[in-house]
Amino acid sequence: MGTLAFGIFDSFGPFEMAEFPTVAEVYEAHIREAQEAEQLGYRYYFFIEHQNSPVCSVTAPTVYLTALASRTSALRFGLMIYQLPFHHPIRLAQDLATLDQISHGRLEFGSGTGVLAHEFLRWNLPFAERHEMSAEALKIIVKAWTEDTVTYQGKYWQFDEALPTPKPYQQPHPPIWVAAHSAGSFEYAARHNYHIAQNIDVDAVIAEKFAYYRRLWKEYKHSGPIPHAFLTRHVHVAETDEQARAQAEPNLVMGFIQGGELIATGTPEQLAQHPTSHTGLYLRRVLADAHRPALAHA
């Protein structure tokens, strides 16, 4: 049986940005909360990356994490996840290795593809090729962390004896997490011996998927302990379930609705070109969740 560790999965929503006079004050408030979490014994601090989106208003996450690293001393932190198609892999590898050095080895590297088509369209990135792009980027990042030079001829990036420096503080590199929802993602993570992360499915589905991952991991016969599994849940504590729901539900619903409305008012002509994308599914889930009872824990 593994050890259970607790962390904070932070969020920077549009409603919060509107409440503070400056963005700087929002960031400062969240860094103070991270410091308090560290003092209370929490082990991890994560948040998510989104570009062209109200889902998270930190568009330069490594810069923010560097500020957080300088104001904490024990908290392990990272982005869950970096949307790899949005990043130059050598540049990201160097930035994160620098951050790992500055924090004396407290960085956790969350990697993934992204699921909202409109974010890719606005940067003219090929949404349908995001999985292939992410796999190529992650392969290059690991090479940059573990090899003196990087020569690589891929579909999306090519390098001729690139000299990535520095190397990470943690050896051979920071822990690598993969955001896994599909069977293919779990197979990829199991094959490469990476940690896994989940934040969408209901408990019964997640239990089934995690069991599938563990079975695959054993079939690959990796040495060492099985990687960790990350799971996000909204939790609000009050004296009773009723009180917790009354306090938490309006804020949860507001966050879902505001995010969904801002995405929906984007560029319909572009989104219409991708009817099978996750964007429409996301919006339908947002509207459905707005009318469902919120989760409350006492």
Side-chain angles (χ1 to χ4, degrees):
M1 181 66 67
T3 301
L4 183 64
F6 289 92
I8 301 296
F9 192 56
D10 209 352
S11 177
F12 299 76
F15 55 90
E16 186 177 18
M17 290 296 172
E19 290 177 354
F20 285 80
T22 65
V23 174
E25 291 172 82
V26 178
Y27 293 168
E28 177 64 27
H30 281 258
I31 289 175
R32 287 198 303 268
E33 290 173 359
Q35 291 176 309
E36 183 176 359
E38 179 178 75
Q39 294 169 2
L40 291 172
Y42 284 84
R43 179 166 174 76
Y44 296 103
Y45 173 94
F46 293 106
F47 65 98
I48 198 165
E49 175 186 29
H50 282 278
Q51 302 292 339
N52 313 300
S53 172
V55 177
C56 183
S57 299
V58 182
T59 54
T62 309
V63 176
Y64 173 81
L65 287 174
T66 302
L68 184 142
S70 70
R71 307 237 328 247
T72 56
S73 59
L75 200 64
R76 297 193 62 82
F77 57 82
L79 204 61
M80 196 64 81
I81 45 78
Y82 281 93
Q83 298 183 111
L84 294 183
F86 290 82
H87 297 272
H88 185 286
I90 294 286
R91 168 61 69 187
L92 181 60
Q94 293 181 147
D95 287 349
L96 293 178
T98 301
L99 175 53
D100 198 45
Q101 290 286 347
I102 289 172
S103 66
H104 293 262
R106 291 187 284 128
L107 176 67
E108 304 276 333
F109 176 49
S111 66
T113 62
V115 297
L116 300 179
H118 79 95
E119 296 185 24
F120 287 75
L121 295 170
R122 296 174 196 275
W123 280 21
N124 198 28
L125 292 170
F127 179 75
E129 300 175 39
R130 66 195 186 282
H131 294 290
E132 191 176 357
M133 290 183 73
S134 297
E136 187 171 302
L138 185 52
K139 184 182 298 184
I140 294 166
I141 290 168
V142 173
K143 286 173 122 354
W145 283 343
T146 58
E147 300 177 11
D148 291 335
T149 66
V150 176
T151 297
Y152 187 86
Q153 294 298 316
K155 180 178 179 180
Y156 304 101
W157 293 281
Q158 302 82 38
F159 305 100
D160 186 8
E161 295 188 3
L163 303 172
T165 58
K167 300 305 179 192
Y169 186 93
Q170 300 175 83
Q171 292 297 312
H173 51 67
I176 296 175
W177 300 75
V178 171
H181 300 289
S182 67
S185 297
F186 281 103
E187 192 281 330
Y188 174 86
R191 176 161 32 99
H192 290 89
N193 200 25
Y194 293 151
H195 305 292
I196 52 173
Q198 246 275 7
N199 70 330
I200 292 178
D201 292 315
V202 297
D203 292 348
V205 174
I206 289 173
E208 182 179 342
K209 289 184 175 182
F210 282 0
Y212 173 70
Y213 167 79
R214 288 191 290 269
R215 178 170 60 79
L216 289 175
W217 183 86
K218 291 177 181 177
E219 290 176 359
Y220 280 111
K221 300 185 184 325
H222 295 294
S223 60
I226 190 168
H228 297 161
F230 166 103
L231 177 62
T232 297
R233 283 291 178 261
H234 292 96
V235 177
H236 180 72
V237 178
E239 293 295 330
T240 65
D241 286 351
E242 292 75 16
Q243 183 180 351
R245 176 172 176 172
Q247 293 171 349
E249 186 174 47
N251 296 295
L252 285 172
V253 172
M254 178 175 63
F256 281 124
I257 290 177
Q258 286 191 350
E261 286 177 344
L262 288 171
I263 292 172
T265 56
T267 54
E269 67 280 2
Q270 289 181 320
L271 297 178
Q273 298 172 15
H274 297 266
T276 61
S277 76
H278 284 66
T279 304
L281 298 175
Y282 173 81
L283 292 174
R284 286 194 291 275
R285 192 175 74 238
V286 164
L287 296 175
D289 286 344
H291 298 287
R292 274 197 200 112
L295 292 175
H297 298 263

